[in-house]
Amino acid sequence: MPDRYRAKLVNSLSGFKSANLVGTADRHGQTNLAIFSSVIHLGSSPALIGLISRPDSVERHTLRNILDTGQYTINQIHSGIYLDAHQTSARYEKSASEFTQTSLTPDFMPDCTAPFVKESKVKYGLKLKEVIDITSNNTQFVIGEITQIICDNSAITTDGYLDIEALNTITVSGLDSYHTTNRLSRLQYAKPNQKPSVININGEPIENDFL
Amino acid sequence: MPDRYRAKLVNSLSGFKSANLVGTADRHGQTNLAIFSSVIHLGSSPALIGLISRPDSVERHTLRNILDTGQYTINQIHSGIYLDAHQTSARYEKSASEFTQTSLTPDFMPDCTAPFVKESKVKYGLKLKEVIDITSNNTQFVIGEITQIICDNSAITTDGYLDIEALNTITVSGLDSYHTTNRLSRLQYAKPNQKPSVININGEPIENDFL
């Protein structure tokens, strides 16, 4: 397969991906913002998040800043900012902040030198915990621990589930396709010898004889 | 925060997740099938896919079989099988195959001892490449190389992008919420000093003055 064709096909195989902007700053306060589709949940206690970085890609400013400062932010992308979010993947010079090149706005919080994205509705600060070299293809797996969460409290349901669909968080397929979502349902914790059971947005059982 | 509340909240923070069934078999041919929301693209050349395994979770049969045989399959979940896919997360005994407990059907292909899911529309076989211990929380990052791909050719567009939305592939948020998707658009490879530009499903430029 030709390289580009192969890249597009293989990038579609893992399924839908998360869509996030990673905010960093260097030691002099020069900000950087980059879109990542590889942000992944690792564990909730401690609250750990992973992402894949390619040393030779446009994301190298992000990795360098994370290694230099130990701090970064992750900001969910919603449908209102996805065009600007995509634009951060252009290969800007290190001296050009993506915040200047797009209409996204840096926002600073106490105890974090890295910029948040003001327009994002779910965002959190992280401190670097571990960087793992993946020898199979020379990528790096960057693991951080969440230090602060900023989101609209009204989107947190009574059992702790955050309704990111209601906040218009988007998802990515392949290299460049962006999607909104429609909930099929939440499902009750599965048990042997019980049929799957629908729960409501707050995690409570509801009538679901139709299953 | 209470443990379960915290788990639900933190699981929502990374954004939408992929939804896949991992098929394995032990040395005696006993099959296993488990839902994973942590399958992630690592690279296209070589074609590498990662997933996170917790040694003490219901997924331990999967990890044990992968380590024992070096082979596994990944099968995308579509809206027609998501209830059965969720049910595979119940804590069945090792002797009980999830293929027997649900209406999903094992399907075998040449050169792979692990079962595919017949009902899945995008699936691939992998050979184990690397297992990395994540010391931060005792999870393991399992990396495999794709050896064969089985999917409906009509879903592969002319530039290699696989239209997984057209195949009704679903996405997960939090621990238990399942979603279909609606494409906003595909976007052209971003360049500095050019506005984001919409492309069609085949990756070709289209009129988009409305941006």
Side-chain angles (χ1 to χ4, degrees), chain A residues 25-78:
Chain A
D26 69 13
R27 287 179 188 146
H28 310 289
Q30 164 78 43
T31 58
N32 189 273
L33 191 66
I35 190 169
F36 278 77
S37 63
S38 61
V39 170
I40 190 169
H41 171 84
L42 272 187
S44 56
S45 188
L48 298 181
I49 300 282
L51 63 83
I52 306 291
S53 178
R54 298 174 197 193
D56 295 329
S57 81
V58 290
E59 294 147 9
R60 63 186 182 279
H61 302 154
T62 298
L63 182 61
R64 194 191 309 167
N65 289 344
I66 292 176
L67 292 172
D68 282 357
T69 66
Q71 295 187 37
Y72 53 115
T73 71
I74 296 182
N75 309 262
Q76 285 191 9
I77 299 168
H78 61 77

Side-chain angles (χ1 to χ4, degrees), chain A residues 18-30:
Chain A
S18 59
N20 290 284
L21 286 161
V22 177
T24 56
D26 69 13
R27 287 179 188 146
H28 310 289
Q30 164 78 43

Side-chain angles (χ1 to χ4, degrees), chain A residues 1-203:
Chain A
M1 283 187 257
D3 277 357
R4 287 189 176 189
Y5 186 96
R6 180 189 179 98
K8 282 170 188 161
L9 180 59
V10 178
N11 264 280
S12 305
L13 293 178
S14 60
F16 286 100
K17 308 175 188 182
S18 59
N20 290 284
L21 286 161
V22 177
T24 56
D26 69 13
R27 287 179 188 146
H28 310 289
Q30 164 78 43
T31 58
N32 189 273
L33 191 66
I35 190 169
F36 278 77
S37 63
S38 61
V39 170
I40 190 169
H41 171 84
L42 272 187
S44 56
S45 188
L48 298 181
I49 300 282
L51 63 83
I52 306 291
S53 178
R54 298 174 197 193
D56 295 329
S57 81
V58 290
E59 294 147 9
R60 63 186 182 279
H61 302 154
T62 298
L63 182 61
R64 194 191 309 167
N65 289 344
I66 292 176
L67 292 172
D68 282 357
T69 66
Q71 295 187 37
Y72 53 115
T73 71
I74 296 182
N75 309 262
Q76 285 191 9
I77 299 168
H78 61 77
S79 54
I81 59 173
Y82 88 102
L83 292 170
D84 276 325
H86 180 78
Q87 187 61 25
T88 66
S89 64
R91 292 177 184 267
Y92 293 110
E93 300 293 318
K94 175 149 185 357
S95 60
S97 170
E98 289 77 7
F99 284 113
T100 316
Q101 303 296 324
T102 67
S103 55
L104 299 168
T105 316
D107 205 6
F108 290 92
M109 304 284 166
D111 304 319
C112 185
T113 58
F116 290 83
V117 176
K118 188 174 182 183
E119 291 81 3
S120 172
K121 299 178 202 166
V122 181
K123 44 201 164 188
Y124 39 101
L126 301 103
K127 63 177 179 191
L128 178 63
K129 186 102 178 170
E130 196 175 353
V131 177
I132 297 173
D133 290 321
I134 298 176
T135 53
S136 299
N137 68 346
N138 295 316
T139 53
Q140 293 186 283
F141 194 42
V142 179
I143 300 172
E145 182 167 354
I146 296 175
T147 54
Q148 56 182 313
I149 301 172
I150 299 144
C151 81
D152 189 343
N153 279 343
S154 68
I156 304 179
T157 67
T158 52
D159 73 340
Y161 172 71
L162 178 61
D163 188 358
I164 62 174
E165 177 169 288
L167 297 176
N168 301 312
T169 297
I170 59 162
T171 179
V172 179
S173 69
L175 283 171
D176 53 29
S177 184
Y178 295 89
H179 311 252
T180 56
T181 63
N182 286 313
R183 180 173 291 105
L184 288 160
S185 71
R186 287 187 64 184
L187 293 180
Q188 190 132 40
Y189 187 84
K191 291 180 181 167
N193 308 319
Q194 277 187 18
K195 285 199 170 186
S197 171
V198 172
I199 52 180
N200 70 15
I201 194 70
N202 291 313

